Amino acid sequence: SEGVIFLMVTGENQYPQVAAAVELAPDDYIIKPFCANVLNNRLSQLIIKKAFFRPYYECAIHQEYEKAVLILRELLETPECKHYRYECRRLIAENLLRVGELEQAIAQYQQLIEDGGFPWAKLGLARCLMQQEQLEAALSLCGEAIKEAPLYTNAYDLKAEIHSNLGQHEQARDVVHTALEIAPLNFDRKRQVI
């Protein structure tokens, strides 16, 4: 659940293991060894953040995505949101996409791209374009995201899905193989190439 803190503690510092951990989407992760102050500081920051987004999480848990957008827009206007403004805007765009408000979601993602060129915003826009059957444009955005963040495996996953939707199965398989080279411990991708 989004409202639960997911802090991963690991002794692994080799890239494949770290990449596998990051793909589990923890709120944060700490590599051993660390001192108690580091753990305390990270947990304190996560508790504050989860408390801030709590009204949103309550809506998301009940799949009340339209209400979630309204709450997120209210949170965005608060002074406390200055530390979380991009995450808040990302969540607004994701929930607009969930409820089928494609034009609003597209506008949100385009503004985020203009503001920061975030690869994840390009991926969100690509998902919107997929919904509109603009597969070539979505594929291009995935390519841009990969160029900017070559280790961003979610971009490879979406690119593979788009290639597959276009009937380009060999290209899709090649993209999955590339993602496996980055994060070789992902078993979902391994199943795709069997």
Side-chain angles (χ1 to χ4, degrees):
S1 169
E2 292 181 71
V4 175
I5 291 173
F6 179 15
L7 176 66
M8 182 174 284
V9 177
T10 179
E12 299 289 351
N13 60 8
Q14 299 298 314
Y15 181 77
Q17 286 80 13
V18 172
V22 169
E23 286 198 313
L24 294 172
D27 294 303
D28 201 352
Y29 69 94
I30 301 176
I31 298 175
K32 297 179 195 175
F34 58 87
C35 65
N37 283 343
V38 169
L39 179 61
N40 186 45
N41 289 340
R42 297 276 186 92
L43 276 174
S44 295
Q45 290 171 7
L46 290 173
I47 289 167
I48 291 167
K49 180 179 175 182
K50 292 293 180 174
F52 176 77
F53 281 107
R54 185 176 178 182
Y56 161 70
Y57 296 140
E58 289 175 357
C59 290
I61 287 167
H62 295 100
Q63 299 180 347
E64 297 172 322
Y65 301 123
E66 290 174 351
K67 184 177 177 185
V69 170
L70 296 175
I71 286 172
L72 287 164
R73 285 183 169 147
E74 289 173 7
L75 290 174
L76 191 58
E77 298 302 316
T78 65
E80 298 84 6
C81 195
K82 68 179 181 176
H83 302 295
Y84 314 119
R85 67 186 179 280
Y86 290 120
E87 181 161 0
C88 195
R89 291 170 59 196
R90 175 184 63 81
L91 290 169
I92 290 170
E94 286 177 5
N95 283 280
L96 286 168
L97 180 55
R98 280 188 183 114
V99 298
E101 295 288 348
L102 288 180
E103 294 305 321
Q104 288 185 56
I106 287 169
Q108 283 285 330
Y109 283 123
Q110 287 173 331
Q111 188 62 55
L112 282 160
I113 291 166
E114 286 176 28
D115 289 352
F118 305 107
W120 52 262
K122 291 186 177 182
L123 227 55
L125 181 55
R127 287 190 181 97
C128 293
L129 296 177
M130 280 181 67
Q131 295 270 333
Q132 295 183 328
E133 303 289 325
Q134 297 183 49
L135 299 182
E136 294 293 344
L139 196 60
S140 176
L141 281 165
C142 289
E144 288 178 30
I146 289 168
K147 186 175 180 181
E148 292 168 18
L151 303 179
Y152 185 30
T153 52
N154 287 348
Y156 292 89
D157 293 339
L158 188 60
K159 185 176 182 183
E161 182 182 342
I162 296 167
H163 276 304
S164 185
N165 289 348
L166 287 166
Q168 301 167 347
H169 302 293
E170 285 196 28
Q171 290 97 322
R173 194 170 21 258
D174 290 345
V175 172
V176 172
H177 276 292
T178 303
L180 277 170
E181 289 171 11
I182 297 165
L185 301 177
N186 186 297
F187 294 104
D188 288 334
R189 286 192 202 101
K190 285 183 178 185
R191 278 197 296 268
Q192 289 178 42
V193 296
I194 293 175

